[in-house]
Amino acid sequence: MQIKLKGEMTIAQLRQALFELLHEIELDYAIFHSRGATLYINPTNGFGDEIAARNGAGRIVDKLTSTGPYASAADEYSV
């Protein structure tokens, strides 16, 4: 399933739009699990000009990987 978010927006707006679409997928299509997802973003400076993410050493960062949300101590110990 492909999800497209169109137009320039802040990361907070992008996060909210994505949250709303995922919520819609759960409610309207009864989909509750996924094996993974790939999200491509096109970073801008707020004026439509493309920018690159750079780490502390100045190198371009073009890929981040996550194994899931942070597991709290309560989750770890089934509290």
Side-chain angles (χ1 to χ4, degrees):
M1 175 178 279
Q2 185 179 60
I3 296 172
K4 284 190 173 187
L5 303 171
K6 297 182 177 184
E8 187 172 17
M9 58 188 88
T10 66
I11 295 297
Q13 291 168 328
L14 181 71
R15 180 176 47 242
Q16 183 62 34
L18 188 57
F19 174 81
E20 290 171 6
L21 280 172
L22 291 172
H23 187 69
E24 179 181 329
I25 288 169
E26 284 183 317
L27 292 179
D28 295 349
Y29 304 103
I31 296 173
F32 302 102
H33 298 87
S34 175
R35 272 188 245 157
T38 301
L39 174 67
Y40 294 91
I41 64 170
N42 304 302
T44 66
N45 63 1
F47 298 104
D49 303 318
E50 291 184 24
I51 59 170
R54 296 183 183 272
N55 64 15
R59 293 193 178 104
I60 293 177
V61 176
D62 60 2
K63 186 184 288 187
L64 298 172
T65 303
S66 172
T67 57
Y70 171 78
S72 69
D75 292 333
E76 289 286 322
Y77 297 105
S78 300
V79 176

